[in-house]
Amino acid sequence: MSRKQKGRLPMNVILLKHFDFDDPAVFTGWAESEGHRLTILNPTQQPLDPLLLDDTDLLIIGGSPTSAYEEDQYPWLAPEKAFVKQAIDREIKVFGICFGAQMLAELLGGRAYPHSLKEIGWHTIHRNNEAHPALAALPDSFRSLQWHGDTFDLPPGATLLAGSEYCANQAYAWGEHVLAVQFHLETSSPCINTMLDVWESDLKPDTPSIQRSADIVQESERTVESFAMLRGILNAFADMSPVQKV
């Protein structure tokens, strides 16, 4: 039963999408089924008006081939960070994915930086003993797509929620209104195929943390399960009580 059917109020959701072939299908489908209004914006191509936050209930920061610390190379990055920081300060719910998780770590006082390795392909995520309502329906361990060469230090006050064999920081929460994951439950099979083509140079042979292209394609049927897990996270995060302002 959807949130709309349960009689809950619809949300205004903004998705920040950073590259053209990033497929938002899971988010558009989720928003439609739950009765939410979804606005998709590309910060690399258009300025982000802070007035948009006035009626925003949830801000989702998607992945990016850009690193979260490359403000000197990408003029759009600092304004996006300012926009996201305003959302955090206004206690709007913010959900960061990969690049989004790294950006949030920086904005909350941590650090994003190049990892000692790249983690690419389907890898096992292990939840720890920390309970969090948004992840309550996830199994203790599950496979998820990964595609990143950066990592982050956990920001002060954050709670680590999950890790993997090659990257210790895979999910964290900060307070009740910030949630971040390093892994990609949102990536569709068509998007994976394009990533394997456009970013083929990332696929180094004989590297344990980088899965072979053929194996990535073979496991792409997992996207159905991934989408279901992500919808569960989004609904549970939306259901969490808002932070009480002093």
Side-chain angles (χ1 to χ4, degrees):
M1 183 179 293
S2 72
R3 291 168 53 86
K4 186 175 182 181
Q5 289 171 323
K6 291 178 181 178
R8 293 168 181 156
L9 293 175
M11 295 192 303
N12 292 321
V13 182
I14 291 177
L15 169 63
L16 300 182
K17 173 184 166 180
H18 298 92
F19 56 100
D20 289 342
F21 60 86
D22 191 11
D23 187 355
V26 65
F27 297 110
T28 56
W30 165 74
E32 181 178 359
S33 67
E34 301 297 330
H36 304 315
R37 185 183 74 179
L38 176 66
T39 301
I40 301 175
L41 304 174
N42 188 335
T44 74
Q45 298 177 0
Q46 60 194 122
L48 299 173
D49 186 349
L51 293 177
L52 291 169
L53 296 174
D54 288 348
D55 63 350
T56 297
D57 302 298
L58 172 62
L59 173 65
I60 302 171
I61 311 165
S64 172
T66 305
S67 294
Y69 45 82
E70 293 183 323
E71 294 97 329
D72 292 345
Q73 298 183 45
Y74 300 97
W76 54 266
L77 186 50
E80 179 179 356
K81 284 184 172 180
F83 181 83
V84 174
K85 184 62 165 60
Q86 287 188 52
I88 295 170
D89 291 344
R90 295 172 66 167
E91 299 183 342
I92 294 167
K93 290 181 179 179
V94 182
F95 179 48
I97 300 170
C98 194
F99 165 83
Q102 296 156 12
M103 175 192 289
L104 288 170
E106 278 200 346
L107 293 175
L108 295 170
R111 183 173 69 100
Y113 53 92
H115 197 8
S116 58
L117 50 78
K118 289 186 177 181
E119 188 180 35
I120 296 174
W122 296 92
H123 293 273
T124 301
I125 308 299
H126 300 282
R127 294 180 58 196
N128 58 26
N129 293 326
E130 293 288 346
H132 190 276
L135 305 187
L138 294 184
D140 292 339
S141 63
F142 55 92
R143 300 279 280 179
S144 177
L145 185 75
Q146 302 270 16
W147 201 301
H148 68 101
D150 290 333
T151 187
F152 55 88
D153 290 333
L154 205 64
T159 301
L160 183 65
L161 302 173
S164 72
E165 180 180 0
Y166 299 107
C167 187
N169 295 338
Q170 288 287 349
Y172 67 91
W174 187 86
E176 296 183 24
H177 66 292
V178 175
L179 181 66
V181 298
Q182 179 62 65
F183 46 89
H184 292 281
L185 294 175
E186 82 287 359
T187 309
S188 67
S189 292
C191 184
I192 291 172
N193 291 333
T194 305
M195 291 163 71
L196 291 171
D197 180 40
V198 175
W199 298 329
E200 183 181 8
S201 60
D202 285 347
L203 302 176
K204 305 298 182 183
D206 302 321
T207 304
S209 63
I210 300 178
Q211 197 176 28
R212 295 187 309 153
S213 177
D215 293 332
I216 293 174
V217 172
Q218 185 175 9
E219 286 199 63
S220 292
E221 62 185 22
R222 293 183 182 275
T223 55
V224 175
E225 179 184 355
S226 295
F227 281 15
M229 287 191 286
L230 180 56
R231 287 192 293 267
I233 291 173
L234 293 169
N235 284 335
F237 190 36
D239 285 344
M240 289 177 59
S241 300
V243 175
Q244 297 299 315
K245 300 181 181 181
V246 178

